[in-house]
Amino acid sequence: MAATAKFSLARPVRHFFQKHFERWLARRIPNQPEHQLNSRNIMIYPTRFGLAYLGFVVLVFLLGTNYQNNIILLFSYLLASLFISVMLHSFYNFSQLRFYSVAKQQGYAEQPLYFVIKITTEKTHYDINAHFTDKALNSQVEKIELCQQGSHELRLVYRTLQRGKHWLGRVTVFSEYSLGLFKSKSILDFGHFAIIYPKAKSLIAGQYQLSGQADEPSIDSYQSTNSVGTDDFSELKSFVRGESKARTAWKQLAKGQGHYSKHYQAEQSQLQWLKLSEMPSNDVEIQLAYLSFLIGELTASNQSFGLQLSAELSNQSMNISPNSGFHHQQACLTALALYS
Amino acid sequence: MIFFKNKSKKVSADTVGGVKRQTKSKAKSNFYLSRKNAWLLWLCQCLNISVIALELSTWMLAIIALSLAWQALLLHQGREKGNSLSKNNPATGQTHRKNSRQDHQHIFRQSIGQNTRQKKQQATNVSPIVLGIFALLGCVAIVITAKQVGILASMLHLLCFSYALKGFELRSRSDFYQLQLLGLFVLAASLIFRQDLAFSLITFALLVLNLAVLLQFFSFEKAFVTNIKVVIVLLGQSAILAIVLFLVFPRLSPFWQVPLAKSAETGLSDTVKPGDIANLTRSTKLAFRADFGQQKVPNYSLLYWRAMVLEEYDGRQWSRQHKSTRNKTAVAAKNFSFDNSATEISPLSYQVIVEPSFQKYLFALAPAVVTGDAKGIQAQADHTFNNSKIISQAKSYRLTSYLTAPLTLELTKQSRQLNLSYPQGSNPRLEQLALQLQHNYVDVQARAQAVLNIINKENYSYTLQPPLLDNNSLDQFFFDTQAGFCVHYASVFTFVMRASGIPARMVTGYLGGEYNGVTNTGDNTGQLANKGHLSIYQYDAHAWSEIWVEGKGWLRVDPTSAVDPERVNSGWSTQLLQQQSELNNDLFSLYRMKNIAWLNALRLQFDALDYQWTRWVIGFTSKQQYDLFKNWFGKMVSWKLALIIAVSLVISMSMLMLFLHLLNRSKTKPQSLTKWQVIYQKAMGKLAKQGMEKPLSMTVNDFAKQVRQQCPELAIVFTRLSASYNRLCYQMLSTNEQEKLMLTMQQQYQQFVQVLKIIDKKSSRLYSYI
């Protein structure tokens, strides 16, 4: 009983300290894309081995004193001062490192995201480790054993199932170089966050294609008026790999004038909007997953599309007007990720 | 908001948990030593144990050797396993080859590699049950033998045993750390038994090795030699602080009673048989040193270092007076110490530093009194000195001797009786000779001289290898074998003296010593200036006799002088040295050393260093510390002492910091700017005043463009300047061309400045119009 009471008392206290520590940290090491380590942002403290070593030195001192043995005393003094010089070495090994990292990374859920931390050094450093400070992220410690003059890269992996925008917090960088007696550590804030897109869930192939035969029933939900004959032919463009063979201008090809594909006005106007409400599922997450897949596919085939997440067309923040290309894809996927 | 996010992440983490938990557990067992490091660690273990091996009993050594050999075998097998596996799989083979080239296992990142490692770990791990049983058995054995070997030794056994066994279970990093600390403790413990310079240096070297193995763990990409260098640098930097600590940190008295070291006794023993000292003289170990300071060192033949007086003779061996009888005499003669107030003989003051002998006797040139700190030193009635405790580490004391003063002018009845007694009929022929001499020579000293004459005239020889005697019969020696060492002659002489009615006794100790140092004569003062010390080795051990003469007290008579005068006057004859080196049969025998000049010089140098070490480091007591402070800072008060300690620690610490800071600074020293850089910087400065600043990331050309846009007047001059700057910076030019370009660039700069001035004037005019 007493233990639980103690625990309940300890928690707010710990919480209080943590809060203050975080505030202090935010002042001390503010959010920056680039950090250089110096005495302002390096924390250095003995490791458990360091403390054990100190105890050991005291033991040797006792041995020397009890035997009135000057050499053993000298031995213990030497080990004690080694403790201090190792601390300084540890500090100098760690200082003057420069870290640079881009704050934002985006990717699909369940896929690993790599946060690259660039390290530039002016001399050789040893045993540089990094991981996300947040323990809940279970981030593995990435290590550079030998950091020679020049630049190096550390890649922190982040992987999650949950779509959305995730703040990853600070990155702990530490080194136990020299003898493992001290841990030099810095908790850098690059403002890392991850935009996690919903994992693409494939609709059966052909659902979104411009094929004349709409054999899938589900496709009718948003391609109901679509048929080849009624489209207004607009232009011929050079064939781009990945385009549907159905659009090939066979006449021109047969004449040997080159491989062209026909482009239709109506096709674009009809497929202009990917609508959340029209996705074949009741679960929003699955609907988003379908959309994620469709966005990828449409971008791959270089088609133009818009994204409509809310029913009202006027809602500018939820709807993205038709466009194509990489940036458009990113914008759409981000919108999916942030949909709530 | 953040809190919520965290929560959601936790949920997500849990869902992925399966994979992640696995990786986590893998990370926990992620400890492995590189091959090279594992072998080095093993080597360290062997060497650490070897420095303390002399203090361990044989069975423990055998067990330790066995477990170390086992570990070596496991290490070896581990490699073979890895090899065989790599043969099976070409892909692993490649990684492995790469691995062996770089000589560490960290490259085993691939899953296959991890497999090999796991297998390897299985191979190097002995089952904990077997290990536990082994450890338990060892501990039981240690407990059983504890009484026999003493507490300290059994604790040492335990320490070494655990150190050897720990090597079997290197599963995590903390195991590795524990092993390292145990190793360092073994090193520290070995210093209990020996502290001389050579041994300390060995220990220091091993400390470096141990720390280098630890460092190797953190920077295994470096060669081991560079790691050793780094450790030496580290220790060198620490030495500043360590020395300051050594000098100023107060010497505390022992906190609690500790078991004393019970090492093998060295040197002379309480009893002496003919032939004993001959064995001792094979040893070239140091017995003690004496420092006479500025005084002249007495002649070799006067340096009879008295250790023990043996007054009882049982027909076979000489021994010290029994405790009970000694106590009686102690009561009778309360004041043992020599009364120096009565003599007019010039005193000789010197310091003696005794090496640990694990016995109690001390050395003196009789008669002597202790000067200075006499704590723990007891003067005996027979003009010898005893330490109250066993001498387990170097001990120094000061004596003042009156070399020619008589010893004990009055002989007590008891003492006379004791010094006349001998077992009747033990050596009938000698007894007969004694009676004859007693009849022929009435004068005591003449009688003694007659015995010496016999020894001198007859065909007696002085040898390290005397023939064995039946029952230590003196008769046999004197009349038949006629070859012996100092004890033989001293025994016979003392026996004959006693048999002829003269109180006589045997004295053991050391004779002479090797002077190490330079003696400068003929300074301005004309006085002798000594700078050196006398080293007395075990082979200087000697035995001689004393007879008591009415009115003169105990007189020293050395029968050895009759058979081998050289021994008494200047030391060992070459013949003896040769004998010794044959007997010892080692490469660096004293004889050989003394024959090779440079080697001998080296030996003497090292001896001198060792002496200073013994004197200043081993012998740095709290009293000396106090004297040192007094010398430097005047009268000591406790607050002053505390202040000195604090200040010196702070100063040395900040010195260390400053030193390291400068060391790290110099590495990143910026390159000095070239001329063109200086000019360009100046131009930049001028432009900055105009409100055009160049961001660091912008290239020179881009900035020139920007200037062109912002300030068209400057366009031409500045573009030219930038172009020459770029050429100077990035084009390969000969020095001639460089100089030319520099000149043009300077001109361009001047033009640039002029244009700037014009612009300035214009703008100022503009302002004035407004």
Side-chain angles (χ1 to χ4, degrees):
Chain A
M1 276 308 281
T4 53
K6 217 176 176 183
F7 186 70
S8 61
L9 224 163
R11 240 171 79 178
V13 171
R14 202 194 299 155
H15 190 73
F16 174 80
F17 275 112
Q18 213 159 6
K19 223 168 117 187
H20 270 259
F21 177 69
E22 256 161 38
R23 204 176 295 163
W24 175 81
L25 208 59
R27 241 182 302 132
R28 192 90 178 170
I29 312 172
N31 178 348
Q32 271 171 348
E34 186 166 10
H35 293 271
Q36 174 159 28
L37 295 185
N38 52 33
S39 51
R40 259 187 75 80
N41 49 20
I42 292 179
M43 293 170 242
I44 184 161
Y45 55 88
T47 56
R48 273 177 64 191
F49 174 55
L51 293 176
Y53 176 89
L54 264 194
F56 165 76
V57 169
V58 170
L59 204 67
V60 173
F61 177 76
L62 286 180
L63 187 80
T65 305
N66 278 346
Y67 279 97
Q68 295 284 293
N69 189 319
N70 277 346
I71 309 299
I72 298 181
L73 282 180
L74 191 62
F75 192 77
S76 75
Y77 293 151
L78 188 64
L79 290 178
S81 25
L82 182 73
F83 189 69
I84 287 169
S85 46
V86 164
M87 177 178 79
L88 294 173
H89 267 250
S90 190
F91 173 78
Y92 284 115
N93 176 55
F94 202 50
S95 66
Q96 288 176 349
L97 279 167
R98 278 174 170 281
F99 293 89
Y100 175 81
S101 184
V102 178
K104 181 180 156 191
Q105 289 292 331
Q106 41 214 357
Y108 291 95
E110 285 181 44
Q111 273 177 351
L113 271 188
Y114 294 103
F115 285 85
V116 175
I117 297 178
K118 243 198 187 139
I119 305 176
T120 36
T121 66
E122 283 172 352
K123 58 169 194 174
T124 314
H125 296 260
Y126 300 93
D127 190 52
I128 307 296
N129 306 273
H131 64 89
F132 285 118
T133 310
D134 193 349
K135 278 190 186 121
L137 297 181
N138 268 333
S139 114
Q140 254 187 319
V141 177
E142 296 298 323
K143 188 171 200 151
I144 296 184
E145 300 282 356
L146 176 70
C147 213
Q148 269 163 337
Q149 194 177 357
S151 59
H152 302 259
E153 273 186 8
L154 271 175
R155 304 206 305 172
L156 297 181
V157 186
Y158 176 67
R159 187 205 295 252
T160 186
L161 292 178
Q162 206 81 13
R163 72 176 174 88
K165 185 180 186 180
H166 299 294
W167 290 98
L168 301 188
R170 291 167 177 268
V171 172
T172 303
V173 193
F174 70 93
S175 167
E176 288 188 9
Y177 176 73
S178 273
L179 301 175
L181 297 177
F182 282 92
K183 193 171 195 169
S184 321
K185 170 171 144 179
S186 189
I187 308 176
L188 304 176
D189 190 359
F190 296 107
H192 275 153
F193 66 94
I195 304 276
I196 302 295
Y197 312 142
K199 195 192 171 195
K201 188 171 169 134
S202 65
L203 280 163
I204 297 150
Q207 278 174 334
Y208 63 96
Q209 270 182 6
L210 243 196
S211 59
Q213 303 83 22
D215 12 45
E216 295 293 326
S218 63
I219 215 159
D220 295 338
S221 57
Y222 63 101
Q223 285 189 324
S224 50
T225 57
N226 185 20
S227 75
V228 181
T230 56
D231 283 332
D232 297 329
F233 172 75
S234 70
E235 57 177 340
L236 279 177
K237 277 186 182 167
S238 299
F239 179 77
V240 179
R241 266 188 75 184
E243 269 183 319
S244 169
K245 288 261 164 62
R247 285 193 277 158
T248 298
W250 294 110
K251 213 185 271 175
Q252 275 74 13
L253 189 65
K255 282 182 190 166
Q257 287 172 341
H259 196 169
Y260 290 100
S261 54
K262 290 183 249 183
H263 285 252
Y264 302 88
Q265 204 72 56
E267 168 205 337
Q268 286 174 345
S269 63
Q270 290 221 312
L271 248 186
Q272 224 165 8
W273 292 98
L274 294 175
K275 290 181 184 166
L276 179 68
S277 50
E278 288 173 0
M279 286 296 125
S281 173
N282 290 328
D283 190 349
V284 181
E285 291 302 321
I286 295 175
Q287 285 177 324
L288 288 172
Y290 282 142
L291 278 180
S292 165
F293 173 72
L294 288 177
I295 289 168
E297 292 294 300
L298 289 175
T299 308
S301 58
N302 205 15
Q303 296 179 55
S304 208
F305 59 91
L307 182 68
Q308 188 183 331
L309 293 178
S310 92
E312 306 160 47
L313 269 169
S314 57
N315 192 341
Q316 285 295 317
S317 61
M318 299 292 271
N319 299 327
I320 296 170
S321 51
N323 201 343
S324 66
F326 177 70
H327 290 290
H328 180 61
Q329 182 197 17
Q330 300 280 309
C332 292
L333 287 173
T334 307
L336 292 189
L338 300 180
Y339 180 80
S340 56
Chain B
M1 188 65 191
I2 288 173
F3 184 72
F4 170 71
K5 283 262 155 68
N6 276 346
K7 219 173 191 179
S8 70
K9 256 175 260 156
K10 253 178 210 163
V11 174
S12 69
D14 278 347
T15 43
V16 197
V19 190
K20 279 188 178 163
R21 236 169 267 145
Q22 264 184 5
T23 55
K24 204 178 177 189
S25 65
K26 212 177 270 171
K28 251 186 188 171
S29 64
N30 217 351
F31 172 81
Y32 37 86
L33 286 172
S34 69
R35 283 210 67 66
K36 191 170 141 198
N37 215 357
W39 276 109
L40 279 169
L41 190 65
W42 182 82
L43 180 74
C44 255
Q45 268 179 292
C46 291
L47 289 175
N48 285 347
I49 291 209
S50 72
V51 291
I52 210 168
L54 277 178
E55 312 302 330
L56 299 177
S57 40
T58 330
W59 63 270
M60 179 46 82
L61 276 179
I63 287 177
I64 288 171
L66 192 76
S67 51
L68 284 176
W70 193 357
Q71 279 167 31
L73 200 71
L74 289 175
L75 274 175
H76 190 69
Q77 269 178 3
R79 191 187 63 190
E80 276 183 353
K81 271 227 164 125
N83 279 344
S84 66
L85 227 129
S86 66
K87 264 174 215 157
N88 293 341
N89 192 330
T92 343
Q94 247 175 3
T95 58
H96 196 86
R97 220 170 300 138
K98 207 161 141 204
N99 180 24
S100 59
R101 202 182 308 139
Q102 301 206 355
D103 224 328
H104 62 80
Q105 295 180 345
H106 272 254
I107 288 205
F108 275 72
R109 290 259 155 82
Q110 289 90 342
S111 59
I112 311 163
Q114 270 175 356
N115 256 343
T116 17
R117 198 195 319 128
Q118 273 162 7
K119 292 222 166 133
K120 210 178 270 183
Q121 263 180 355
Q122 272 171 10
T124 48
N125 282 343
V126 178
S127 101
I129 298 168
V130 175
L131 214 61
I133 291 172
F134 194 50
L136 208 68
L137 283 177
C139 290
V140 168
I142 288 167
V143 169
I144 289 171
T145 53
K147 256 196 181 158
Q148 192 190 332
V149 295
I151 299 170
L152 180 68
S154 55
M155 263 146 74
L156 269 185
H157 279 74
L158 195 63
L159 177 69
C160 293
F161 185 57
S162 56
Y163 182 50
L165 283 194
K166 188 74 197 167
F168 280 114
E169 44 155 31
L170 284 175
R171 288 206 192 82
S172 64
R173 196 191 270 205
S174 63
D175 287 328
F176 174 68
Y177 286 154
Q178 277 172 31
L179 192 68
Q180 284 287 338
L181 286 188
L182 273 175
L184 290 183
F185 201 74
V186 168
L187 279 186
S190 73
L191 287 169
I192 297 175
F193 303 96
R194 284 184 69 184
Q195 297 107 38
D196 56 290
L197 184 60
F199 191 78
S200 304
L201 285 178
I202 289 171
T203 318
F204 182 76
L206 281 179
L207 174 68
V208 169
L209 192 68
N210 275 288
L211 291 178
V213 170
L214 187 55
L215 183 64
Q216 184 89 354
F217 182 72
F218 290 97
S219 58
F220 54 83
E221 306 233 355
K222 276 196 282 188
F224 190 63
V225 183
T226 38
N227 272 334
I228 283 184
K229 266 185 216 156
V230 170
V231 169
I232 288 174
V233 167
L234 263 172
L235 283 175
Q237 286 159 356
S238 321
I240 310 168
L241 195 58
I243 288 167
V244 171
L245 270 172
F246 186 75
L247 286 179
V248 304
F249 201 81
R251 287 292 122 91
L252 306 173
S253 47
F255 295 112
W256 61 82
Q257 195 72 38
V258 281
L260 281 176
K262 271 194 213 162
S263 215
E265 296 177 354
T266 52
L268 300 164
S269 64
D270 275 8
T271 60
V272 128
K273 295 188 284 286
D276 272 0
I277 286 187
N279 285 333
L280 182 59
T281 51
R282 287 196 201 174
S283 161
T284 53
K285 260 180 82 175
L286 187 73
F288 62 96
R289 291 193 176 97
D291 193 341
F292 290 88
Q294 298 292 313
Q295 294 156 302
K296 186 178 182 299
V297 178
N299 282 338
Y300 192 94
S301 55
L302 286 175
L303 294 170
Y304 278 89
W305 299 98
R306 199 181 177 87
M308 273 179 286
V309 173
L310 310 174
E311 289 176 308
E312 278 186 11
Y313 182 61
D314 64 355
R316 284 184 198 145
Q317 61 182 17
W318 297 87
S319 53
R320 295 181 96 166
Q321 218 177 327
H322 283 305
K323 254 206 178 130
S324 53
T325 48
R326 211 192 304 167
N327 282 348
K328 264 185 218 158
T329 46
V331 175
K334 195 85 187 162
N335 187 18
F336 301 138
S337 64
F338 179 75
D339 183 18
N340 54 348
S341 56
T343 52
E344 286 160 12
I345 300 153
S346 63
L348 179 70
S349 170
Y350 53 94
Q351 183 162 29
V352 180
I353 298 153
V354 193
E355 290 292 298
S357 63
F358 299 95
Q359 303 204 56
K360 285 185 175 176
Y361 58 82
L362 299 171
F363 311 96
L365 297 171
V369 283
V370 182
T371 45
D373 186 19
K375 207 175 81 189
I377 299 175
Q378 300 155 346
Q380 305 286 325
D382 50 17
H383 296 281
T384 60
F385 293 91
N386 264 4
N387 198 20
S388 51
K389 270 188 268 172
I390 282 174
I391 302 165
S392 56
Q393 50 177 302
K395 180 182 173 67
S396 93
Y397 52 93
R398 271 201 98 75
L399 292 174
T400 305
S401 287
Y402 304 86
L403 287 183
T404 46
L407 300 176
T408 326
L409 286 171
E410 279 163 45
L411 198 63
T412 59
K413 207 175 165 191
Q414 265 173 340
S415 188
R416 172 184 284 274
Q417 207 178 358
L418 185 68
N419 284 307
L420 279 173
S421 68
Y422 60 96
Q424 299 284 333
S426 60
N427 292 295
R429 286 199 274 176
L430 276 180
E431 281 169 46
Q432 208 184 343
L433 176 76
L435 285 177
Q436 204 182 327
L437 287 172
Q438 194 178 14
H439 184 72
N440 289 351
Y441 301 93
V442 182
D443 181 39
V444 173
Q445 274 173 293
R447 206 182 297 164
Q449 191 56 46
V451 179
L452 295 184
N453 282 343
I454 295 171
I455 294 172
N456 194 12
K457 294 271 163 56
E458 303 279 328
N459 194 19
Y460 286 97
S461 67
Y462 197 64
T463 171
L464 276 174
Q465 276 176 296
L468 285 176
L469 305 172
D470 302 330
N471 248 339
N472 293 320
S473 155
L474 294 178
D475 268 0
Q476 195 190 359
F477 156 69
F478 198 72
F479 297 104
D480 304 336
T481 62
Q482 301 199 327
F485 204 58
C486 52
V487 188
H488 293 85
Y489 294 98
S491 295
V492 163
F493 181 81
T494 315
F495 185 85
V496 172
M497 286 296 109
R498 282 190 180 184
S500 66
I502 303 171
R505 62 191 187 185
M506 169 92 101
V507 183
T508 56
Y510 294 80
L511 170 59
E514 183 181 41
Y515 185 72
N516 186 0
V518 273
T519 312
N520 297 324
T521 44
D523 278 358
N524 294 346
T525 48
Q527 272 186 333
L528 277 168
N530 276 324
K531 251 185 115 183
H533 62 273
L534 208 60
S535 298
I536 293 96
Y537 296 92
Q538 293 297 355
Y539 59 77
D540 288 317
H542 194 57
W544 62 92
S545 303
E546 277 181 343
I547 54 172
W548 192 80
V549 182
E550 188 73 50
K552 291 185 177 174
W554 286 105
L555 282 184
R556 181 177 63 227
V557 182
D558 188 356
T560 304
S561 64
V563 57
D564 186 4
E566 199 184 342
R567 166 78 185 97
V568 177
N569 291 324
S570 60
W572 284 43
S573 60
T574 12
Q575 199 193 339
L576 275 180
L577 279 172
Q578 258 167 350
Q579 249 186 21
Q580 191 202 23
S581 95
E582 273 165 32
L583 280 173
N584 276 347
N585 205 13
D586 54 355
L587 194 62
F588 290 104
S589 65
L590 195 68
Y591 174 64
R592 268 183 218 161
M593 284 263 229
K594 281 194 171 167
N595 268 348
I596 305 168
W598 66 268
L599 214 59
N600 199 36
L602 205 69
R603 183 180 68 87
L604 289 177
Q605 278 293 328
F606 190 77
D607 179 66
L609 272 179
D610 189 49
Y611 171 63
Q612 297 304 333
W613 174 259
T614 314
R615 204 170 147 195
W616 295 114
V617 183
I618 300 177
F620 189 74
T621 55
S622 52
K623 191 179 171 297
Q624 266 164 310
Q625 194 180 26
Y626 184 79
D627 290 346
L628 190 78
F629 284 152
K630 220 167 158 184
N631 260 345
W632 286 356
F633 308 105
K635 213 173 169 225
M636 292 311 300
V637 213
S638 55
W639 65 264
K640 217 171 171 181
L641 187 75
L643 194 73
I644 288 169
I645 292 170
V647 166
S648 53
L649 282 184
V650 166
I651 286 176
S652 53
M653 203 112 67
S654 49
M655 253 168 67
L656 182 65
M657 272 173 159
L658 195 74
F659 177 63
L660 273 173
H661 186 71
L662 291 177
L663 208 72
N664 278 277
R665 242 312 118 76
S666 63
K667 275 180 195 162
T668 58
K669 204 168 146 190
Q671 282 186 327
S672 59
L673 293 171
T674 50
K675 273 189 207 162
W676 53 86
Q677 274 168 326
V678 173
I679 291 177
Y680 192 74
Q681 290 299 329
K682 272 194 213 161
M684 288 290 101
K686 299 248 166 172
L687 280 177
K689 273 182 201 162
Q690 297 288 319
M692 281 176 280
E693 265 184 274
K694 174 175 170 284
L696 267 177
S697 53
M698 202 177 237
T699 64
V700 175
N701 282 335
D702 285 349
F703 185 59
K705 264 182 212 163
Q706 194 191 329
V707 170
R708 235 176 284 158
Q709 284 164 2
Q710 286 188 356
C711 188
E713 294 102 320
L714 274 173
I716 303 167
V717 271
F718 189 70
T719 313
R720 275 188 197 150
L721 186 72
S722 303
S724 355
Y725 174 72
N726 263 345
R727 278 191 69 194
L728 277 166
C729 277
Y730 303 112
Q731 262 182 19
M732 296 291 282
L733 296 170
S734 67
T735 44
N736 233 349
E737 283 174 317
Q738 252 182 13
E739 274 170 27
K740 266 187 195 169
L741 203 56
M742 261 311 297
L743 277 176
T744 46
M745 190 173 163
Q746 265 166 356
Q747 286 164 359
Q748 282 160 354
Y749 175 69
Q750 271 150 18
Q751 283 168 0
F752 167 76
V753 173
Q754 279 168 359
V755 174
L756 261 184
K757 269 183 193 164
I758 294 165
I759 296 171
D760 266 357
K761 270 180 196 164
K762 268 186 194 167
S763 59
S764 60
R765 237 178 263 154
L766 258 171
Y767 279 121
S768 62
Y769 285 137
I770 292 163

